[in-house]
Amino acid sequence: MTENPFFKPSTLVFELPPFAEIRAEHYLPAYERGMAEQLAEIAAITADPQPPTFANTLVALERSGEVLRRVEAVFRNQVSVDTSDVVDEVDAKVSPLLAAHHDAIHLDRALFARIEDLYGRRAELGLDPESLRLLERRHTAFVRSGARLGAAEQERLRELNAELAALATTFQQNVNAATKAAALVLDSADELDGLSADAVAAAAENARVLGHDGKYVLSLRSTSGQPELALLTDRSVRERLLAASLGRAADVNGPIAIRMAGLRAERAGLLGHSTHAAYVVADETAGSVEAVAGLLSRLVEPAVAIARREAAELAQAAAADGIEELAAHDWAYYSEKVRQDSYHVDAAALRPYFELERVLHDGVFFAAGLAYGLSFTERPDLTAYHPDARVFEVAEEDGTRLGLFVGDFHARASKRGGAWMDELVSQSALTGRRAVVMNNLNVPKPAPGEPVLLTWDEVRVLFHEFGHALHGLFSDVRYPLFAGTAVPRDFVEFPSQVNEMWMVRPEVLANYARHHVTGEPLPAELVERMAAAEGFGQGFRTVEYLAATLLDWAWHTLPRGREVADAEEFEARALEEAGIAVPAIPPRYRSAYFQHVFSGGYSAGYYAYIWSEVLDADTVRWFGENGRSVRESGEVFRRELLSRGFSRDPLESFRAVVGRAPETGPLLARRGLA
C-alpha cells in the first residue's frame, strides 16, 4: 500500500498528521510495517560489528520506529475521540501485537547486552547530563521490562503482557458501550425541571442525534457523579441517573478487573516485587508504597470527618423537603441548595458568564500570554481528525512559531468520556520536531445557534487540561524518551493543577467572566461569594477522590495468588477497611468503569493527583510570594520545569523553581484538612 499516509513523514506544518488522507484501512498495514521496520532497525543495531557506543546503540534506538510512532499517535487518538466498530476491531487486533513488539525489543538479549555494557562504563563515556540520563533510563526500562529474567520467566512474561493488553482493550470497549447504553432517556421536559433552558435544549438535541426524536437524553460523563444531579428537582430522575452511572459495565468488567489484578500481581512477582503497586511506585517520585500509603492514611480521617459534618448539614435541608435519609443521589442537589442559601452562589446562574469561546480565548489563552508570552491563531486551513476539533498555531512573544494546539471540546457518541491531553507529535531536538498537542473535553453540544455555556467545574477542567498542553508545547529536550509529559505519573498532574490557579486570578477572571448576551462582567460581589464558597464541599470532593484512589490501591496491593471471587464485594470490603466507606458518597470511579487503572496508564497510580497536589499547592504559593512579576515567574517555571520533561529528576526541577523540597502544609490548608 504505497499510498498509505503513515509510510512517510507528514509535509504539513509541524508534521501535523494528514488527517484528510487517513482512512481506517490504513491503520493495520501501517502497524505491521512499523513494527517490522523497527525490529529490522533493532537487528541492525545488534548486528553492528563495532563495539557498542552511545551513538550506535542508544541514539540509534531513539531514532528507530518512525512509522510506528506516526500510526500509534494517530490511532490511539482515534480510539479515544472517534471510535467505530472498524476501529475497535483494529484495536483488538493491534493491542496484543504491540505488547509482543514491546517485549521483542526489551527482551532482546543482544540489545540489552550492548546497553548493559555501556551502562557499566557510563562514568568513562564523557556523556553530557541528558545523554547520561538517557543511558540510565533506558537501562532501567529494560531491567523493569524483564531483560534479566531467565528464558522460562521471559516466556511467561510475554504471555502475561499479551493477555493484559487484550483485556485492557476489552475493558475500555465495554465501558464505551455501557456508557452509551446507560444514557438516560426521558419522555418529558418536565422531568428535567431545574435545568436551564439551554441545557434542556441540549438534551433534546442529544436525543435527536441518538435517534430518540421528541425525547430528551442525558448522556453519562465518565465519573460516578453527573453534573445534572445538582439541579434536577425530580428525586426519582436523580435516582435513575445515578443508578445508571454506578451500574455501568459491572457484569462484564467486574470479572476483567479481577483477572487483570491477578495477572498484574503475578507479573510483579516475576519482576521481583511483592505487589503491582510496589512495582509501579518503585519508578515514581513517591519511591515506595509506604510513602503513598502514609500520605493517603493521613488524609482519610479528617476528610471523612468533614464529609460527615457536610452530610449533617445537607440532611437538614433534605428533611425540610420531607426526605428522611440523605441518599447518594440527593447529595449534589442539596449541596447546591445549601451553597445558594449560605453563599448565595447559584451554579446555574453562573453559566451565562462562562461562554466557551470567551473562556478559551480571554481566559485560557490570555493567561498563557500573561505568564509565558504566548499567542494563538486559529488555523481553519489545517484539517483535524473530526469536524469538532480545531487547530491553533502557537507563537512565542517574539513571533517564533512554537507548535500546534488542537482543541476538541464537545461530547459525542463516538468519544470516550472525561477530559484529557495527548500528543500527536512530540518535541525532540534529535528529530528536529516541535510539539503538536491536543486537549479533549466532553461539553454537551447545544442546539444549533445556541451558545456553549460552561459550568464552573468545566472551566476548571479547561484550565487543567491546558496545563498539560503547555507541558507538551514547552518541551525542550534532545531525546524523544524525555519529551513533554513523559514524566512519572505522580508528577505529570502537577503542571496541569498549577495551571488551574489562573482561572481565579483577578486579572484573568475579569477578562473572561462576562455575560454572553450583555457583555457585563461577573459582579464583584458574586466573585467574593464564589471565593468564600470555594472551601464548601471539600469533604465530599476529598472523600470521593480518596475512595477511588484507595480502591485502585486495594486492587493493586493484592499479593500474587490472592483469589477474588466478586468484584463488587471486593470493592465494598476494600472501602470499608480503608475507612472511606461513606454510603452517600460513591467513589469517583467504581471498578467496572475505572478506565484510568484498567485501560489507562494509572494502575496503582491514581494517587498521583493528590501526590501532585502537594507540589501544586506549594508552587501556587511560590507564584504569589516570590517577589517576581507574573511574567518573570512564568519564565522560571517554564525554563526550570515545564521545558525539562524527564531529562532530569522531576523533583530536582521542582527544587530549581521553589528553592527547596516540597511541603504538605499548603495542600492541607487548601483542602481544609490542617
Side-chain angles (χ1 to χ4, degrees):
M1 191 181 291
T2 57
E3 295 182 0
N4 192 310
F6 294 113
F7 289 174
K8 58 186 178 182
S10 170
T11 59
L12 297 176
V13 60
F14 296 113
E15 294 190 28
L16 177 73
F19 290 108
E21 303 172 22
I22 295 171
R23 299 187 301 276
E25 59 263 30
H26 293 137
Y27 289 127
L28 193 54
Y31 267 116
E32 290 169 344
R33 176 180 286 197
M35 288 186 279
E37 283 188 0
Q38 187 169 33
L39 291 181
E41 290 162 341
I42 299 300
I45 294 172
T46 60
D48 189 339
Q50 297 298 316
T53 65
F54 183 81
N56 71 19
T57 301
L58 271 299
V59 173
L61 181 57
E62 283 293 283
R63 290 187 181 278
S64 70
E66 281 293 288
V67 172
L68 183 58
R69 178 197 61 77
R70 288 194 288 268
V71 66
E72 177 71 350
V74 173
F75 183 73
R76 283 299 120 206
N77 177 62
Q78 176 97 48
V79 168
S80 297
V81 302
D82 192 21
T83 194
S84 65
D85 290 343
V86 173
V87 170
D88 284 349
E89 288 174 12
V90 174
D91 196 17
K93 289 179 183 177
V94 163
S95 293
L97 294 177
L98 282 173
H101 180 72
H102 176 276
D103 286 339
I105 294 172
H106 287 85
L107 301 181
D108 186 316
R109 295 192 183 280
L111 180 59
F112 181 60
R114 294 177 73 91
I115 294 173
E116 184 104 271
D117 175 81
L118 292 168
Y119 183 76
R121 298 186 289 112
R122 62 191 182 280
E124 309 163 10
L125 300 178
L127 300 175
D128 63 83
E130 187 175 343
S131 297
L132 177 59
R133 184 164 177 81
L134 178 67
L135 172 56
E136 292 172 341
R137 289 304 307 166
R138 280 293 186 189
H139 184 266
T140 296
F142 272 73
V143 172
R144 285 177 56 80
S145 297
R148 286 180 171 160
L149 295 179
E153 289 81 4
Q154 285 191 353
E155 182 56 33
R156 178 56 182 155
L157 184 62
R158 293 174 195 268
E159 294 170 356
L160 291 169
N161 288 338
E163 185 175 357
L164 281 165
L167 288 171
T169 298
T170 302
F171 187 97
Q172 177 163 323
Q173 291 179 358
N174 287 345
V175 173
N176 291 345
T179 299
K180 293 176 192 174
L184 188 62
V185 181
L186 301 169
D187 295 323
S188 166
D190 293 342
E191 296 175 281
L192 296 175
D193 182 61
L195 299 190
S196 63
D198 68 285
V200 173
E205 174 65 10
N206 192 29
R208 184 193 66 78
V209 170
L210 295 175
H212 300 284
D213 284 354
K215 297 182 184 293
Y216 303 83
V217 174
L218 299 178
S219 291
L220 300 183
R221 313 291 178 93
S222 64
T223 52
S224 295
Q226 304 298 315
E228 296 86 0
L229 291 170
L231 302 170
L232 291 165
T233 61
D234 189 323
R235 192 182 189 215
S236 66
V237 175
R238 297 200 305 268
E239 184 174 14
R240 289 164 58 198
L241 180 60
L242 184 60
S245 180
L246 297 178
R248 279 175 287 170
D251 55 340
V252 288
N253 275 352
I256 292 177
I258 292 171
R259 179 65 177 164
M260 291 185 73
L263 294 176
R264 285 170 172 169
E266 182 183 350
R267 182 175 61 184
L270 272 179
L271 295 169
H273 295 271
S274 58
T275 64
H276 180 69
Y279 169 77
V280 169
V281 175
D283 203 39
E284 302 290 318
T285 63
S288 71
V289 293
E290 291 77 17
V292 175
L295 175 64
L296 297 179
S297 65
R298 289 196 300 275
L299 298 176
V300 167
E301 186 175 345
V304 170
I306 294 171
R308 285 179 175 152
R309 290 199 296 271
E310 291 172 1
E313 189 175 4
L314 302 187
Q316 288 184 344
D321 288 344
I323 295 174
E324 296 181 1
E325 183 176 355
L326 186 77
H329 53 269
D330 297 317
W331 189 293
Y333 180 75
Y334 286 100
S335 181
E336 184 58 31
K337 289 191 73 170
V338 170
R339 187 195 313 274
Q340 289 184 36
D341 292 343
S342 300
Y343 301 99
H344 308 290
V345 175
D346 182 350
L350 289 175
R351 292 180 69 243
Y353 293 93
F354 304 135
E355 191 271 324
L356 173 61
E357 290 303 298
R358 183 134 207 168
V359 176
L360 180 66
H361 289 274
D362 297 341
V364 174
F365 291 169
F366 175 74
L370 282 181
Y372 308 111
L374 299 185
S375 61
F376 300 80
T377 303
E378 188 155 7
R379 293 287 304 270
D381 57 308
L382 296 176
T383 301
Y385 51 82
H386 189 278
D388 287 349
R390 302 152 60 189
V391 182
F392 298 83
E393 186 169 303
V394 188
E396 302 274 20
E397 198 165 28
D398 64 1
T400 302
R401 299 193 306 173
L402 178 64
L404 296 178
F405 169 73
V406 181
D408 185 356
F409 306 117
H410 290 297
R412 50 183 173 268
S414 60
K415 188 179 187 181
R416 72 174 172 89
W420 66 95
M421 170 268 187
D422 211 340
E423 297 185 12
L424 292 167
V425 180
S426 296
Q427 178 274 333
S428 165
L430 183 68
T431 63
R433 295 191 183 97
R434 299 301 311 179
V436 178
V437 303
M438 56 184 297
N439 277 172
N440 271 276
L441 274 67
N442 266 280
V443 178
K445 188 176 287 188
E450 294 298 316
V452 182
L453 304 181
L454 305 180
T455 66
W456 185 236
D457 283 343
E458 287 168 340
V459 173
R460 187 186 308 279
V461 170
L462 188 58
F463 275 87
H464 175 98
E465 296 304 331
F466 194 72
H468 286 304
L470 290 173
H471 201 180
L473 284 166
F474 285 151
S475 179
D476 188 16
V477 300
R478 187 181 316 159
Y479 303 112
L481 184 69
F482 298 143
T485 58
V487 296
R489 285 290 184 190
D490 60 5
F491 190 83
V492 74
E493 296 299 333
F494 159 47
S496 54
Q497 290 172 176
V498 168
N499 205 63
E500 292 178 23
M501 73 176 175
W502 301 114
M503 68 182 283
V504 293
R505 289 275 298 208
E507 66 271 41
V508 178
L509 184 65
N511 202 56
Y512 75 82
R514 292 180 174 271
H515 197 283
H516 73 100
V517 174
T518 67
E520 291 295 313
L522 191 66
E525 66 273 15
L526 185 52
V527 174
E528 293 173 4
R529 294 200 300 269
M530 287 169 61
E534 188 66 19
F536 180 76
Q538 279 289 1
F540 175 90
R541 290 192 292 273
T542 305
V543 167
E544 178 197 46
Y545 165 75
L546 286 175
T549 300
L550 289 161
L551 184 56
D552 166 37
W553 201 245
W555 280 114
H556 294 114
T557 52
L558 285 171
R560 184 175 183 174
R562 176 71 61 83
E563 296 290 334
V564 175
D566 181 85
E568 293 194 24
E569 289 178 6
F570 174 84
E571 180 177 305
R573 185 171 63 254
L575 297 176
E576 190 68 40
E577 291 175 353
I580 201 75
V582 180
I585 306 179
R588 184 178 295 176
Y589 300 97
R590 296 194 65 191
S591 301
Y593 50 89
F594 205 164
Q595 294 181 82
H596 280 76
V597 302
F598 289 113
S599 59
Y602 281 79
S603 61
Y606 199 64
Y607 77 89
Y609 290 90
I610 200 78
W611 190 271
S612 294
E613 196 177 341
V614 172
L615 309 179
D616 152 38
D618 213 356
T619 303
V620 169
R621 181 172 68 176
W622 171 84
F623 259 97
E625 298 177 357
N626 66 37
R628 298 181 178 94
S629 68
V630 168
R631 185 72 182 84
E632 290 169 333
S633 297
E635 195 57 38
V636 171
F637 192 54
R638 171 181 177 171
R639 181 183 68 248
E640 296 294 345
L641 193 143
L642 295 178
S643 70
R644 296 297 188 113
F646 203 24
S647 65
R648 71 177 177 188
D649 183 328
L651 291 181
E652 183 182 337
S653 295
F654 174 86
R655 287 189 291 270
V657 173
V658 179
R660 53 166 173 76
E663 298 174 354
T664 59
L667 164 68
L668 298 177
R670 173 192 287 182
R671 287 191 172 254
L673 303 176

